[in-house]
Amino acid sequence: MARRPARPSRPARSSRSAVTADSPCPCGMDATYGACCGRFHTGPATAPTAELLMRSRYSAFAVLDAAYLLRSWDPATRPPTVDLDPATRWTGLEVLDTTEGSPFHTTGTVTFRAHFTQRGEPGVLEEHSRFARHDGAWVYVGHA
């Protein structure tokens, strides 16, 4: 498996009520939300890599888009619902490592660190996520 070193992301700051198509994307990429993750959330486009799917799912948490989280989850592991806590504010994403997950692969992993505040208290979620192709599109399978 080819490993790619961590790619720095610019710090992402998001406020759900303030995220518009012209806002910086919550995932931390140097693009607007509409040109980055928003196009996956609202349109027929699908993420071409596992990393971009993971970034778009992080942004979906930031903008409280439960429908996208469910759509981008493998049907074999998808829960019936996703409960998002509006008191959680996602404040930054670091992609630490990826394996496979390119347009030419059928599986991939992404290790990341997601920063948040919940009721004023800072927190960090670190996860090694697994992704696979389902009907030609990348989907989240679960974490290791």
Side-chain angles (χ1 to χ4, degrees), residues 1-15:
M1 272 185 220
R3 287 189 174 266
R4 210 168 29 159
R7 182 171 26 186
S9 296
R10 67 179 168 78
R13 307 225 190 292
S14 75
S15 170

Side-chain angles (χ1 to χ4, degrees), residues 23-142:
S23 297
C25 193
C27 82
M29 296 290 282
D30 190 19
T32 65
Y33 171 69
C36 194
C37 295
R39 66 192 167 116
F40 304 132
H41 296 174
T42 62
T46 59
T49 66
E51 179 182 337
L52 287 176
L53 178 65
M54 186 281 308
R55 287 178 175 279
S56 70
R57 287 177 56 81
Y58 170 86
S59 290
F61 278 99
V63 301
L64 298 175
D65 189 344
Y68 178 76
L69 292 168
L70 290 170
R71 273 194 324 273
S72 62
W73 208 313
D74 187 329
T77 59
R78 176 176 46 217
T81 62
V82 174
D83 296 320
L84 300 176
D85 183 353
T88 301
R89 183 170 182 258
W90 296 94
T91 58
L93 175 66
E94 298 172 74
V95 174
L96 304 174
D97 190 31
T98 63
T99 58
E100 298 183 328
S102 80
F104 305 105
H105 292 107
T106 57
T107 62
T109 65
V110 179
T111 303
F112 66 91
R113 196 174 291 138
H115 300 267
F116 63 92
T117 59
Q118 189 170 46
R119 294 170 182 73
E121 295 295 318
V124 176
L125 168 72
E126 190 165 324
E127 184 173 301
H128 179 76
S129 297
R130 295 178 297 119
F131 299 88
R133 293 228 186 234
H134 178 78
D135 292 337
W138 283 106
V139 292
Y140 172 74
V141 175

